[in-house]
Amino acid sequence: MKATTPRSGTRRVATVVTALAATVALGAGCVGGGGQAPEETSTKGAVSKDTKGTVRLLMEGVPDSDIVKELVPEFTKEYPGIKVEIQTLTYDQIRDKLVASFQAPKPTYDLVVVDNPWMYDFAKAGFLEPLEGRVDNTDGYAYDDFAEPLRSINEVDGHTYGVPFYNYALGLVYRKDLFAAEGIEPPKTLTELQAAAAKLTTAKRAGIAMQPQRGYKVFEEWGNFLFAEGGRIHDNSGNVTLDTPEGRKALSAYIAMYEKSAPKNSLNWAFDEAQRAVSSDKAAMMVSYNWMLPALNKKGSGKFAGEFGLAPFPGGHQVLGSWSWSIPANSATSDASWAFVSWLTSKQGEKQRVLAGGAPVRTSVLSDAEVREQGGAEYYDTVRELLENSSPLSEGANGEEMIQAVGTELNSAVAGKKSPAAALKAADDEAKKIRDE
Amino acid sequence: MSFRYRMLLPLVALFLAVVGYPLVNSFYLSLTDYKITDRANLSVVGGRQYVDALTDQGFWGAFGNTAVFVLVAVTVELVVGLALALALQRQRRLRNLTRGLLLAPMFVTPIAVGLLFRFLLNSQLGVVPAVLGSLGVSYDFFGSGKALLTIALIDAWQWTPFMVLLLLAGLESLPSAPFEAARVDGASAWYTFRRVTLPMLRPVVAVAVLIRGLDALKVFEYVYATTRGGPGTETQTLQYYVYQTGIQFFRMGEASAMGYLVLAVVLVAVIVLFLRIDRQRAA
């Protein structure tokens, strides 16, 4: 092989250096311009029916978004001048798209849906329009009708930055036939839950499908255990309180149940896997979102459709998630956006959405005769119970980071890499540091 | 300006726009506390972000995971790749077909490969656990102590063909005289491989390992598609950590500083290796 001269060697090194610099620099992140929008509160309530404009809307690709799409023609009948264009993406993609649109001089979206851990940061950053003026001046809107825990997620520094779209309150989904066969009732305490899971565990079926995946999932599930033990994620002043006797007890109970009653090799399981296990007779219970129940029980959805029941989580206080409608501060058609949101989230709009299969957020819809007739009174009573007594994973700044940090420590404990005490101490320290940043 | 310099202008312009601007801008960001959700209070903090990154356990944990990943993945790729290249060199029939099939994994986008293996290895749906299960073996591919190895093997599945391609080209360009001499002297196949083939192939091996090593350092998609850095922080690699810090947690300044630190380490490694290769060639 031909030997290279020092000169060509140097040139080659220079080439590689340049190429690498380019590659890493592109990965290191380049950030564009765009101005911080001023925070303005519009007092405009009901929007005139002859308003014109196109509302570009970004949503997550989930069944609730499909329901909204189906309702758009109804809205357009009332507001013929407003066109609603809905784009759907996966959960992982939407936040990045939203942040880019919020900062652009010409936004990509005029109306958005915001997940609860993002609300505080987006509001503080000036990305969203305060809505209390619009809410107060829209006749018959009845904002107090939305479940209180959902409303409080959208309140930042005394302003309302979103109105609830649908809820993610967790409950215990269980197989009624298996419970009846064993003669057991839905558990009221963690001890009863552990006993039920152990009793229902057979060679072919796990007692409970758990979701210890790092990040959101394990935190969401463990949060319910924490509440059941009488602990809280935040104290009354909003400070994180994870490293407590209740927290340690809850984590030990969680790990014990995972080891004894969860499917083997499920350390990385999340929602999909647990759902599949329960619907295919591989597990008898799971902690899941309340609105999963109609889907599991829908005729033709599986062999065990109709056999699933929903109960509040033992202890009666559950972890809550929510999505809310928000209008970006740089929205090109904020009035038309409010027209659509206020129409869809009005008492009547909410009823239509829930009848089509959406997850309820207004208290009035839970007692509506037509809704109860269709979905089952027992189910809506349980949902009301869940919504009334629930708390989100995150309150305050840097929610996403706090959830990831705590969820990583919890997952380490379930994986046996850290003791519950060490994991909670680290989780507590990190969460406090992240909050203060 | 002479004609030949004018001819260079389009390249220089493109280079400045595509490489220069991001490079300079991200360096500037690395000296500030830039946060996407708090742009009004931007202040220049000098080298603080670098100190923070260097004293951050998470960063060093990710560094260690990445190093183990690169080491395992590239070693497997080299050993398997070399074995396949030697076998292919001797193949007489259907050579093009075999080579074409063997190279196929390289042309699939890494995120698709990650998702593919996420389902293949899924304990409920996956064909691999199902087959193992029928043999009475229970193995959690994404369990504690195993997930990083699984991800390294996914990388090996996709990129061993690349190694084969380079090594095969190297093998086929070797002069035949030393091999004939070895045969005449009665050297065994293993002795010939060890004392004739490997020493002559060394420059190609070095380049192949370098290119694959640098590429493997950028591992992100497999982690994103399968474990999201878990269990615990076992599969949290550098790129995933930088992504989380900058994009997920909005701290662009800190992420830029981490990016530059990775760049510094990689540059030192590349320069040292290239100088050594050049010295060996010259010798």
Side-chain angles (χ1 to χ4, degrees):
Chain A
M1 218 171 257
K2 196 183 149 195
T4 44
T5 62
R7 191 182 164 79
S8 69
T10 313
R11 201 160 54 217
R12 188 169 295 116
V13 171
T15 312
V16 172
V17 167
T18 316
L20 273 168
T23 314
V24 180
L26 285 170
C30 55
V31 183
Q36 197 98 349
E39 195 174 278
E40 278 172 21
T41 308
S42 170
T43 51
K44 205 165 181 179
V47 180
S48 156
K49 299 270 159 115
D50 54 15
T51 302
K52 288 189 170 45
T54 300
V55 178
R56 294 162 302 172
L57 164 57
L58 177 63
M59 303 181 82
E60 190 187 5
V62 290
D64 274 86
S65 303
D66 296 334
I67 293 167
V68 172
K69 274 185 197 167
E70 285 164 21
L71 294 174
V72 169
E74 293 281 317
F75 167 75
T76 325
K77 269 188 218 161
E78 282 192 46
Y79 292 85
I82 300 177
K83 200 176 159 199
V84 181
E85 288 176 357
I86 300 181
Q87 185 188 357
T88 53
L89 288 171
T90 62
Y91 181 81
D92 293 322
Q93 294 170 302
I94 53 178
R95 202 189 63 147
D96 298 346
K97 285 275 211 180
L98 289 183
V99 172
S101 172
F102 291 152
Q103 298 183 91
K106 283 191 176 172
T108 321
Y109 305 109
D110 310 302
L111 176 63
V112 298
V113 287
V114 178
D115 195 7
N116 58 295
W118 311 339
M119 184 55 83
Y120 186 94
D121 292 334
F122 284 2
K124 280 286 201 187
F127 292 161
L128 307 176
E129 181 193 306
L131 296 176
E132 60 272 14
R134 293 186 188 270
V135 165
D136 292 345
N137 294 317
T138 304
D139 293 337
Y141 190 60
Y143 183 62
D144 287 351
D145 187 30
F146 290 106
E148 195 279 326
L150 293 167
R151 268 183 286 139
S152 69
I153 287 170
N154 301 325
E155 310 295 328
V156 179
D157 292 345
H159 293 287
T160 303
Y161 287 95
V163 291
F165 168 27
Y166 68 107
N167 86 80
Y168 263 95
L170 288 159
L172 187 71
V173 172
Y174 65 99
R175 279 271 298 280
K176 289 191 281 190
D177 56 330
L178 299 175
F179 270 59
E182 293 289 341
I184 42 179
E185 291 289 314
K188 295 265 187 269
T189 63
L190 267 193
T191 319
E192 284 179 26
L193 175 67
Q194 282 177 303
K199 200 168 184 185
L200 291 164
T201 302
T202 64
K204 289 193 169 174
R205 188 189 305 116
I208 183 164
M210 293 171 75
Q211 300 158 52
Q213 191 188 60
R214 167 188 144 125
Y216 268 92
K217 294 316 299 179
V218 69
F219 191 9
E220 227 175 29
E221 211 168 37
W222 170 78
N224 289 288
F225 281 62
L226 177 71
F227 294 157
E229 288 289 1
R232 287 291 174 266
I233 297 169
H234 304 93
D235 64 15
N236 291 336
S237 317
N239 299 316
V240 176
T241 54
L242 299 172
D243 189 19
T244 56
E246 293 84 12
R248 287 189 283 276
K249 224 169 137 187
L251 187 52
S252 299
Y254 184 90
I255 295 169
M257 200 162 85
Y258 172 73
E259 285 171 352
K260 198 169 180 183
S261 312
K264 272 187 182 173
N265 302 337
S266 60
L267 186 62
N268 207 38
W269 276 23
F271 174 74
D272 287 351
E273 287 87 354
Q275 160 94 344
R276 209 176 288 127
V278 168
S279 59
S280 61
D281 198 27
K282 295 277 184 350
M285 293 185 272
M286 74 184 288
V287 179
S288 196
Y289 309 115
N290 59 81
W291 44 261
M292 280 315 308
L293 195 78
L296 282 165
N297 278 337
K298 198 175 174 182
K299 270 184 191 165
S301 68
K303 206 175 155 189
F304 303 95
E307 300 288 0
F308 294 97
L310 174 74
F313 194 81
H317 192 108
Q318 26 273 313
V319 168
L320 174 74
S322 86
W323 284 87
S324 306
W325 295 104
S326 292
I327 300 178
N330 63 352
S331 170
T333 55
S334 56
D335 288 347
S337 296
W338 178 247
F340 181 62
V341 169
S342 57
W343 177 86
L344 189 75
T345 59
S346 66
K347 281 189 177 180
Q348 189 51 35
E350 164 89 346
K351 185 176 164 183
Q352 270 183 277
R353 192 179 62 80
V354 173
L355 282 173
V361 282
R362 277 186 180 269
T363 316
S364 59
V365 80
L366 294 167
S367 46
D368 183 275
E370 204 182 329
V371 169
R372 290 168 75 85
E373 167 77 28
Q374 186 189 299
E378 193 190 340
Y379 168 63
Y380 284 109
D381 285 340
T382 313
V383 173
R384 180 200 294 269
E385 229 179 305
L386 301 183
L387 283 180
E388 279 173 359
N389 204 355
S390 54
S391 308
L393 288 182
S394 149
E395 291 169 17
N398 305 316
E400 177 92 16
E401 187 172 3
M402 182 264 200
I403 290 170
Q404 291 294 336
V406 174
T408 300
E409 294 299 335
L410 294 173
N411 177 262
S412 292
V414 183
K417 292 276 168 189
K418 281 187 178 176
S419 68
L424 280 179
K425 170 86 176 61
D428 199 83
D429 288 349
E430 279 183 59
K432 281 177 179 147
K433 200 177 110 200
I434 290 164
R435 277 277 180 268
D436 295 341
E437 262 170 14
Chain B
M1 196 188 284
S2 72
F3 178 72
R4 63 178 187 166
Y5 287 117
R6 281 206 307 274
M7 289 299 282
L8 265 178
L9 280 179
L11 175 69
V12 171
L14 188 72
F15 186 82
L16 286 177
V18 178
V19 180
Y21 173 72
L23 200 65
V24 172
N25 193 31
S26 59
F27 182 67
Y28 164 69
L29 287 183
S30 76
L31 301 177
T32 69
D33 61 355
Y34 184 100
K35 197 173 174 194
I36 296 175
T37 51
D38 191 18
R39 306 198 311 163
N41 303 314
L42 182 77
S43 51
V44 176
V45 293
R48 202 189 76 200
Q49 310 275 22
Y50 288 89
V51 177
D52 285 352
L54 287 170
T55 52
D56 177 8
Q57 278 187 350
F59 180 73
W60 287 111
F63 203 96
N65 291 339
T66 312
V68 172
F69 168 83
V70 171
L71 200 72
V72 174
V74 177
T75 306
V76 172
E77 284 156 22
L78 178 65
V79 173
V80 179
L82 190 56
L84 285 173
L86 286 167
L88 284 176
Q89 195 196 8
R90 284 157 199 234
Q91 191 187 9
R92 291 288 164 260
R93 287 184 201 167
L94 299 173
R95 287 165 68 116
N96 293 340
L97 181 71
T98 325
R99 288 176 194 194
L101 286 175
L102 202 73
L103 296 183
M106 269 170 56
F107 304 116
V108 186
T109 172
I111 189 73
V113 171
L115 289 170
L116 192 76
F117 275 94
R118 175 176 155 188
F119 291 113
L120 277 176
L121 304 177
N122 184 291
S123 55
Q124 287 175 309
L125 300 169
V127 65
V128 181
V131 171
L132 289 177
S134 67
L135 301 171
V137 180
S138 169
Y139 185 85
D140 184 6
F141 286 92
F142 299 114
S144 183
K146 298 163 187 159
L148 191 61
L149 180 68
T150 304
I151 290 173
L153 293 180
I154 295 175
D155 190 82
W157 178 84
Q158 180 160 37
W159 294 111
T160 298
F162 176 79
M163 211 56 127
V164 173
L165 202 66
L166 285 189
L167 295 176
L168 191 57
L171 280 172
E172 291 187 339
S173 70
L174 294 183
S176 58
F179 293 95
E180 283 159 15
R183 197 167 56 240
V184 170
D185 290 344
S188 69
W190 173 241
Y191 189 87
T192 310
F193 171 72
R194 214 159 45 87
R195 303 302 291 265
V196 182
T197 316
L198 264 192
M200 287 202 295
L201 201 62
R202 192 184 287 165
V204 180
V205 169
V207 170
V209 166
L210 183 72
I211 294 176
R212 261 316 298 146
L214 289 176
D215 197 38
L217 265 175
K218 295 191 298 183
V219 60
F220 175 80
E221 293 91 339
Y222 309 140
V223 178
Y224 187 80
T226 57
T227 60
R228 301 279 163 119
T233 52
E234 282 180 42
T235 55
Q236 189 158 272
T237 58
L238 275 174
Q239 298 290 340
Y240 191 76
Y241 195 65
V242 173
Y243 155 79
Q244 271 205 319
T245 309
I247 308 290
Q248 231 180 337
F249 306 152
F250 303 128
R251 296 202 304 267
M252 276 289 184
E254 212 174 310
S256 300
M258 288 177 189
Y260 265 89
L261 287 174
V262 177
L263 174 67
V265 172
V266 171
L267 278 186
V268 169
V270 169
I271 291 167
V272 168
L273 275 167
F274 256 76
L275 288 179
R276 281 188 66 173
I277 292 170
D278 264 4
R279 212 173 296 139
Q280 275 174 5
R281 281 182 180 176

